[in-house]
Amino acid sequence: MVIEKICCLGAGYVGGPTCSVIAWKCPDIKVTVCDKSIERINQWNSDKLPIYEPGLDEVVKECRGKNLFFSTDIANSIQEADLIFISVNTPTKTIGNGKGRAADLKYIEGAARMIADLATSNKIVVEKSTVPVKAAEIIMKILRANTKPGVEYQILSNPEFLAEGTAIVDLVESERVLIGGEDTPEGQKAVQALCWVYEHWIPAKNILTTNTWSSELSKLAANAFLAQRISSINSLSAVCEATGADVSEVARAVGRDSRIGPKFLEASIGFGGSCFQKDILNLIYLSECLNLPEVAAYWQQVVSFNDYQKNRFTRKVIESLFNTVSDKKIAILGFSFKKNTGDTRESPAICVSKTLLDEGAKLHIYDPKVETDQIYYELTHPQVTNEPEVARKNIEIHSSAYSAVTGAHAIVLCTEWDEFKELDFKKIYNVMMKPAYIFDGRKILDHEALINIGFHVQTIGKRLSRTSSIRAQGSQTLP
Ligand code: UDX
Ligand code: UDX
Ligand code: ADP
């Protein structure tokens, strides 16, 4: 089976970059990315794309209008496509059964019903959104219960492993592509058709094929393992701060063991992003449904520890500022959940900012890529505060780090943007209130140099002399 036309439902962080790279690497395939949001599609068709991703602009510019199209004409795109990716959003449910843990599959279901309504020829439907195990079964049930005569569906699971901020490189140089399908001749034919698409640029040895459920579970498992590493190193960061060990040194030593490996051992203020927490919560919910409470409890701890780490850091900020931040001006540097993205979903900066706002602080926020409205949205929507107007009054968004820090009592660095390393901290010290504090939630600054300038500095996983001597005197002697 040859794929000539691909349609993608959902032009978000996953669908947009993935299909742009497919179009770029497969000039013989027409790729149409659809979204029900006209605004989103207009942005994809403009000079300012709706998401910031290094390298994405260039790829889109090269292919758009040739074999890459962004469209709201979902009906036509579905009808002409041989293969349809579903990459719609799958937020955690906020109401009803499984609230706060289970994935809300209403958009997946909506997409499947749309395909069932509109398709007039055979389709390979590929689940690309991160979804709970057995979501493919739901899609299959909807499609097969509503199928028209002469129309047949094959459903594949093809989870996306790209990380934001490195999406284009991750897609172009994928370590692995995972494709799960039904163990029937038709199912295997569909798997081979999708393999053929990827083989345009991915070596065949990097393409793994499994059954559908293994593929779905592997995506949750990969994210759960990655998040677990971060919670593990973050737990040790607390031990380091209490003992005098340096978490970076510990990570370097531990990571040298090839069985462990050096990546993803960066202690931090806590992990964020749209996937880690959501996927672990999915895994927890799945385990509970399968009557495996011990498994659920094991993974719950990874999420709970992340909340602890975010709160621990914020508590440190407040305690250092004489236990009150009321009416104090605090500069928040970085608001996205990691560098090189404008995405704020589950960003630890939200948790830090919210607690400081609750304590009466005045926040001056700067992020190189997050839109002003997005920051206001994250800190004033009803799930975060009952008093959006009060919060709004205490937030000011800045267009440069220098303007955000002027007159501040403290700088709280929440995202590891490279430009923060290049700031002129002597200049910054001179325009801040004294004593001037810096809380480096990402361990990226030159702490020694900052202390020499006169700052009080605190970071994650390392005790720094000037601020820690009193604390050290009071700490318990280990047995
Ligand atoms: C993640 C997975 O990496 C990707 O494979 C999957 O497809 C989607 O989820 P993403 O959320 O975009 O990607 O970013 P990632 O680089 O994994 O970072 C997630 C969070 O963990 C960020 O907040 C990051 O700052 C934090 N992190 C990461 C750490 O705190 N320490 C680390 O060592 C690595
Ligand atoms: C371990 C460490 O590997 C070693 O670096 C350290 O110095 C001492 O502790 P050891 O206990 O001798 O070494 O053996 P190891 O190979 O690590 O196995 C420990 C246990 O884990 C065994 O029971 C093994 O069967 C089990 N294991 C190991 C698994 O169940 N799954 C695995 O993937 C690996
Ligand atoms: P992700 O990070 O998983 O890509 P996003 O929220 O960035 O998630 O993108 C998902 C996109 O899917 C949104 O732009 C949303 O409007 C779109 N969407 C949801 N349901 C449908 C649908 N049935 N058809 C087309 N687009 C949809």
Side-chain angles (χ1 to χ4, degrees):
M1 184 191 285
V2 177
I3 307 293
E4 289 175 355
K5 292 191 176 117
I6 289 178
C7 159
C8 174
L9 298 179
Y13 285 91
V14 172
T18 308
C19 285
S20 300
V21 168
I22 291 178
W24 186 39
K25 293 292 181 183
C26 308
D28 52 334
I29 300 177
K30 176 184 174 189
V31 181
T32 308
V33 188
C34 297
D35 206 291
K36 56 186 185 185
S37 158
I38 298 170
E39 192 194 346
R40 235 191 192 181
I41 291 301
N42 285 345
Q43 287 174 315
W44 278 106
N45 282 321
S46 74
D47 285 338
K48 188 171 185 301
L49 302 183
I51 63 178
Y52 171 70
E53 195 56 68
L56 178 64
D57 279 15
E58 290 77 2
V59 174
V60 171
K61 247 181 221 141
E62 189 169 328
C63 305
R64 197 171 53 193
K66 285 185 198 151
N67 67 328
L68 174 65
F69 302 89
F70 295 93
S71 168
T72 49
D73 186 355
I74 298 178
N76 190 43
S77 310
I78 287 178
Q79 272 160 2
E80 68 174 22
D82 309 299
L83 183 148
I84 302 168
F85 284 115
I86 300 184
S87 55
V88 299
N89 31 340
T90 49
T92 304
K93 275 182 87 170
T94 53
I95 50 168
N97 212 1
K99 173 182 165 184
R101 289 167 310 159
D104 192 338
L105 293 180
K106 70 178 170 193
Y107 300 106
I108 294 269
E109 192 179 328
R113 289 190 188 281
M114 233 175 211
I115 297 169
D117 267 359
L118 296 165
T120 49
S121 58
N122 294 351
K123 308 287 172 201
I124 298 174
V125 176
V126 184
E127 152 199 270
K128 202 151 219 357
S129 321
T130 300
V131 288
V133 177
K134 293 207 169 183
E137 203 172 68
I138 296 172
I139 299 174
M140 198 179 310
K141 275 189 184 147
I142 292 170
L143 290 178
R144 290 188 180 156
N146 294 286
T147 187
K148 301 188 191 90
V151 179
E152 280 181 18
Y153 296 105
Q154 282 304 320
I155 290 90
L156 303 179
S157 158
N158 173 220
E160 187 45 69
F161 293 105
L162 68 81
E164 287 174 32
T166 52
I168 301 301
V169 177
D170 292 346
L171 286 161
V172 171
E173 297 166 12
S174 297
E175 286 175 342
R176 44 85 158 88
V177 167
L178 181 58
I179 302 174
E182 270 185 273
D183 205 4
T184 58
E186 297 76 29
Q188 290 309 303
K189 244 199 232 162
V191 168
Q192 287 315 315
L194 185 55
C195 285
W196 173 82
V197 173
Y198 284 110
E199 278 167 14
H200 280 71
W201 79 100
I202 305 285
K205 67 174 174 33
N206 290 5
I207 303 178
L208 313 179
T209 58
T210 63
N211 76 33
T212 316
W213 297 339
S214 297
S215 167
E216 288 177 322
L217 183 59
S218 301
K219 170 69 195 227
L220 296 191
N223 279 344
F225 267 70
L226 291 169
Q228 183 200 44
R229 277 174 80 92
I230 302 169
S231 278
S232 297
I233 196 73
N234 281 344
S235 77
L236 295 173
S237 75
V239 178
C240 288
E241 287 161 37
T243 57
D246 177 341
V247 76
S248 301
E249 291 178 353
V250 173
R252 201 172 63 214
V254 170
R256 271 297 173 88
D257 185 329
S258 65
R259 295 170 300 177
I260 298 172
K263 294 183 187 164
F264 255 73
L265 286 178
E266 211 59 78
S268 66
I269 176 176
F271 60 74
S274 70
C275 288
F276 283 177
Q277 176 165 314
K278 186 181 78 181
D279 288 356
I280 297 177
L281 292 176
N282 268 331
L283 190 56
I284 293 167
Y285 186 66
L286 174 73
S287 307
E288 282 173 358
C289 293
L290 297 171
N291 199 20
L292 300 167
E294 290 80 3
V295 179
Y298 177 78
W299 289 106
Q300 176 60 49
Q301 193 52 22
V302 174
V303 175
S304 302
F305 193 85
N306 198 48
D307 292 333
Y308 166 79
Q309 182 78 349
K310 290 185 278 189
N311 291 328
R312 194 171 76 83
F313 178 73
T314 319
R315 240 186 2 254
K316 191 173 358 187
V317 173
I318 297 168
E319 277 171 20
S320 305
L321 298 173
F322 314 112
N323 226 10
T324 176
V325 291
S326 179
D327 287 329
K328 284 184 182 158
K329 178 173 170 178
I330 298 183
I332 303 284
L333 295 190
F335 200 80
S336 57
F337 78 96
K338 62 189 274 198
K339 73 174 180 179
N340 293 340
T341 176
D343 194 353
T344 58
R345 288 177 292 180
E346 304 296 340
S347 176
I350 299 170
C351 171
V352 173
S353 300
K354 180 189 156 21
T355 308
L356 294 174
L357 282 172
D358 288 346
E359 294 273 336
K362 301 209 174 300
L363 300 187
H364 289 246
I365 304 175
Y366 167 68
D367 186 283
K369 287 291 173 199
V370 179
E371 304 284 343
T372 297
D373 287 350
Q374 185 61 23
I375 298 178
Y376 278 123
Y377 168 77
E378 291 286 15
L379 296 178
T380 59
H381 74 80
Q383 272 166 351
V384 176
T385 177
N386 298 324
E387 297 177 310
E389 284 318 311
V390 177
R392 193 169 270 270
K393 213 175 77 228
N394 288 327
I395 300 167
E396 207 173 296
I397 314 296
H398 291 259
S399 55
S400 88
Y402 292 109
S403 99
V405 302
T406 303
H409 290 84
I411 294 173
V412 179
L413 190 149
C414 292
T415 315
E416 73 281 22
W417 286 100
D418 289 339
E419 67 173 63
F420 297 155
K421 293 191 249 181
E422 310 303 326
L423 291 171
D424 180 345
F425 281 98
K426 277 199 188 118
K427 187 169 138 189
I428 287 176
Y429 183 76
N430 290 335
V431 297
M432 282 179 68
M433 302 289 281
K434 308 293 174 331
Y437 288 84
I438 292 190
F439 301 91
D440 178 4
R442 295 291 188 164
K443 298 192 294 99
I444 58 164
L445 303 178
D446 181 343
H447 303 131
E448 198 92 340
L450 292 173
I451 290 169
N452 288 338
I453 293 172
F455 282 105
H456 291 258
V457 187
Q458 301 232 18
T459 189
I460 302 278
K462 186 180 183 181
R463 217 194 249 169
L464 297 169
S465 50
R466 187 168 168 152
T467 45
S468 56
S469 51
I470 303 167
R471 196 180 274 252
Q473 283 162 19
S475 69
Q476 285 180 333
T477 312
L478 287 173

